[in-house]
């Protein structure tokens, strides 16, 4: 009986702990090609922030990537697409991915993770002036404020 | 000071342990001097530097004996009646010690320095390449003059013969050192060669690249993309400086190979970036002549 109680208490504690960690963590990017190619112009964002449909669309339109040409050789594109879709927020709903995916319309393929209501609520106080003044320059420059961003941690406020 | 008392109580055993540590860390550092294994290289390199400096500190301690004691400069060795191998070792030892201390210390400390100051990397690499030769020479001297020889060999190995063998080894080492090193040619120049071939094929009357034209292209302001009007928008006006992506804020390493020797070594990478960035900034592809001018400008910086 005592053992069952302790076990239950342990499970509750673990669950509470992971629920707390869920608020500010996503699985980090581990694929070298993704880290290199996506990380040349901006941080290699974790695939958990968008559903697989979004990543498919993004890898289809690299020649016009938010207005810039970001095209890659076909084999590199395929390898990165495979990694991103296999680890997308709807395929591996871990950590922050769950709250982000809750806002994605069924069948929708959003391209900017900064337009997710969860993201906007967290960053509602970050103005363009603040970004200029701090030297971060852009809202997509995660590591400027979140020191652990490349390891998947977004806990600093 | 318990370490020092341990050393003075067991000079030979502790020295052997130190020597094994130095050889081991040095070997690991030499073998892992690649980018893929940088963490291991760093760790073993620091260990190597600490062991090298530590050995000098121990040698300076008073009352240190045995192999830890360094030969005293200027100490007059009594001229031996007979030139034995042992006597020759005593004569060679100060020079050997000086060279070992100089090169090994330089290898370790330049590595530690390069970890903090980027400019020391070239020096560290050069010293690192010289180190195995110094170590091989050291091994040759020790084996030739100190190793216990089998009975039959001992009669044949007269000091005169050992001396001539040593001279021959020295000559050989000098010849090998003077021979053109079998390393790849400058990767940036090789890459420029590819661009030259392309420009020759595409440009009638091609008369070489002009870094000045490359600089003009780099600094030019264009209208295709108001957010990114120039190369300098992200890379700054000075290719030797660190840049920053004008749209995303992402830090960009310097482009000039003089400060970032990774640049312009990988043809696929250069083709990818030039292909994309010409489209993004100029709104069109760059000609082979423009690309070569650009590369020539970067290599001149």
């Amino acid at each position: 009986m005592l053992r069952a109680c302790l076990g239950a208490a342990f499970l509750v504690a673990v669950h509470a702990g992971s629920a707390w960690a869920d608020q500010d963590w996503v699985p980090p990017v581990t694929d070298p090609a993704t880290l290199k190619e996506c990380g040349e112009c901006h941080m290699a964002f974790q695939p958990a922030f968008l559903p697989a449909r979004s990543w498919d669309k993004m890898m289809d339109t690299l020649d016009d990537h938010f207005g810039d040409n970001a095209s890659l050789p076909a084999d590199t594109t395929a390898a990165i697409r495979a990694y991103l879709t296999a680890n997308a927020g709807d395929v591996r709903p871990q950590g922050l991915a769950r709250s982000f995916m809750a806002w994605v319309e069924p069948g929708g393929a959003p391209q900017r993770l900064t337009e997710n209501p969860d993201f906007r609520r967290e960053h509602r106080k970050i103005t363009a002036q603040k970004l200029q003044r701090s030297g971060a320059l852009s809202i997509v420059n995660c590591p400027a404020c979140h020191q652990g961003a490349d390891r998947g941690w977004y806990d600093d406020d | 000071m318990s370490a020092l008392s341990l050393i003075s109580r067991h000079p030979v055993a502790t020295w052997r342990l130190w020597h094994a540590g130095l050889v081991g860390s040095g070997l690991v550092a030499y073998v892992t001097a690649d980018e893929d294994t940088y963490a291991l290289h760093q760790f073993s390199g620091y260990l190597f530097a600490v062991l090298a400096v530590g050995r000098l500190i121990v040698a300076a301690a008073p009352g240190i004996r045995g192999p830890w004691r360094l030969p005293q400069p200027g100490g007059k060795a009594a001229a031996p009646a007979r030139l034995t191998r042992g006597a020759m070792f005593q004569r060679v030892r100060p020079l050997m010690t000086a060279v070992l201390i100089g090169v090994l210390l330089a290898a370790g400390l330049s590595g530690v320095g390069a970890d903090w100051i980027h400019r020391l990397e070239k020096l560290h690499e050069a010293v690192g390449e010289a180190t195995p030769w110094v170590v091989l020479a050291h091994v040759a001297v020790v084996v030739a003059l100190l190793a216990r020889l089998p009975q039959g060999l001992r009669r044949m190995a007269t000091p005169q013969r050992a001396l001539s063998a040593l001279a021959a080894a020295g000559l050989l080492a000098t010849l090998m050192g003077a021979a053109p090193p079998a390393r790849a040619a400058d990767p940036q120049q090789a890459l420029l060669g590819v661009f030259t071939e392309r420009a020759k094929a595409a440009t009638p009357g091609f008369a070489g690249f002009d870094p000045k034209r490359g600089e003009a292209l780099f600094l030019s302001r264009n209208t295709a993309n108001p957010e990114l009007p120039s190369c300098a928008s992200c890379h700054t006006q000075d290719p030797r400086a660190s840049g920053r992506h004008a749209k995303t804020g992402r830090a960009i390493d310097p482009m000039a190979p003089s400060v970032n020797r990774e640049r312009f070594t990988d043809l696929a990478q250069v083709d990818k970036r030039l292909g994309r960035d010409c489209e993004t900034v100029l709104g069109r592809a760059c000609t082979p002549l423009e690309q070569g001018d650009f590369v020539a400008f970067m290599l001149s910086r």
Side-chain angles (χ1 to χ4, degrees):
Chain A
M1 185 61 201
L2 180 66
R3 189 176 295 179
C5 283
L6 281 177
F10 176 73
L11 279 180
V12 168
V14 166
H15 193 77
S18 64
W20 173 79
D22 273 3
Q23 301 306 306
D24 39 35
W25 181 82
V26 284
V29 178
T30 53
D31 176 47
T34 306
L35 283 170
K36 176 181 181 291
E37 299 299 347
C38 305
E40 264 178 35
C41 302
H42 54 68
M43 190 191 114
F45 306 116
Q46 287 86 6
F49 286 118
L50 293 173
R53 299 181 298 274
S54 297
W55 292 120
D56 262 327
K57 183 174 170 190
M58 198 168 298
M59 298 311 284
D60 283 338
T61 55
L62 281 180
D63 55 338
D64 183 6
H65 187 64
F66 305 102
D68 294 338
N69 184 342
S71 46
L72 288 167
D75 50 344
T76 316
T77 308
I80 293 175
R81 179 201 299 268
Y83 176 76
L84 292 175
T85 51
N87 292 279
D90 55 340
V91 178
R92 275 182 74 190
Q94 290 181 18
L96 273 168
R98 275 179 231 162
S99 48
F100 267 67
M101 288 310 110
W103 292 99
V104 174
E105 282 177 36
Q111 295 294 287
R112 293 178 191 269
L113 65 93
T114 53
E115 284 174 358
N116 190 294
D118 206 52
F119 181 95
R120 292 169 73 153
R121 187 172 49 77
E122 291 285 345
H123 296 86
R124 61 191 179 279
K125 291 180 190 155
I126 311 299
T127 59
Q129 290 90 327
K130 267 191 191 169
L131 287 171
Q132 286 297 329
R133 228 182 308 131
S134 68
L137 230 60
S138 161
I139 193 74
V140 300
N141 191 358
C142 311
C145 304
H146 303 285
Q147 311 267 308
D150 51 357
R151 282 169 283 126
W153 282 102
Y154 294 88
D155 48 351
D156 8 24
D157 291 317
Chain B
M1 284 299 99
S2 62
L4 267 184
S5 68
L6 183 74
I7 286 173
S8 52
R9 220 171 314 137
H10 306 284
V12 175
T14 49
W15 178 84
R16 279 191 178 147
L17 204 62
W18 168 83
H19 193 263
L22 192 77
V23 171
S25 60
L27 196 66
V28 170
Y30 184 73
V31 172
T32 58
D34 253 337
E35 278 151 40
D36 309 342
T37 44
Y38 185 69
L40 196 55
H41 179 69
Q42 210 177 12
F43 175 79
S44 51
Y46 268 90
L47 181 62
F48 181 85
V50 166
L51 286 172
V53 173
R55 193 246 182 279
L56 291 184
I57 293 173
V58 170
I64 223 69
R65 299 174 296 133
W68 288 97
R69 231 175 96 89
L70 292 178
Q72 301 298 313
K76 240 186 281 168
R82 231 160 53 84
L83 194 63
T84 60
R85 285 163 70 228
M88 274 175 61
F89 180 71
Q90 290 310 322
R91 287 200 181 173
V92 175
R93 194 172 172 227
L95 175 69
M96 182 183 80
T97 310
V99 172
L100 278 176
I101 290 177
V103 173
L104 297 190
L105 214 58
L109 294 184
S110 66
V112 173
D115 205 14
W116 302 94
I117 309 161
H118 236 42
R119 283 173 178 276
L120 287 175
E121 251 176 38
K122 279 208 172 109
L123 173 72
H124 179 56
E125 220 178 284
V127 180
E129 288 301 326
T131 306
W133 298 106
V134 172
V135 171
L136 277 181
H138 167 61
V139 170
V141 167
V142 170
V143 169
L145 298 180
L146 286 189
R148 206 168 289 148
L149 301 172
Q151 197 64 52
L153 264 181
R154 210 179 296 173
R155 222 164 296 129
M156 280 162 57
T158 60
Q160 284 74 21
R161 282 187 189 152
L163 201 64
S164 45
L166 209 62
L171 192 68
L172 192 68
T174 314
L175 282 176
M176 285 172 79
R183 62 171 55 194
D186 185 354
Q188 273 103 9
Q189 289 303 326
L191 187 129
L192 190 62
V194 176
F195 280 91
T196 309
E197 290 308 313
R198 288 182 189 171
K200 265 184 199 159
T203 321
F206 172 70
F209 295 130
D210 181 358
K212 283 256 158 52
R213 287 194 305 249
E215 180 172 20
L217 183 69
F218 177 76
L219 295 174
S220 69
R221 297 188 67 82
N222 307 274
T223 51
N225 188 338
E227 283 181 302
L228 302 171
S230 168
C231 308
S233 305
C234 297
H235 297 285
T236 79
Q237 307 254 330
D238 180 1
R240 285 166 299 189
S242 288
R244 172 185 269 266
H245 197 287
K247 278 173 77 176
T248 69
R250 181 75 153 172
I252 302 174
D253 289 336
M255 250 214 293
S258 60
V259 288
N260 182 1
R261 59 200 172 86
E262 308 283 299
R263 292 289 197 179
F264 300 99
T265 55
D266 178 354
L267 183 63
Q269 175 73 9
V270 176
D271 276 340
K272 180 187 79 184
R273 294 282 7 162
L274 280 176
R276 273 189 201 173
D277 294 347
C278 286
E279 286 287 349
T280 297
V281 175
L282 304 175
R284 61 171 176 84
C286 292
T287 66
L289 183 67
E290 285 174 323
Q291 296 189 358
D293 285 342
F294 184 87
V295 175
F297 165 58
M298 285 300 156
L299 301 199
S300 74
R301 281 302 153 112

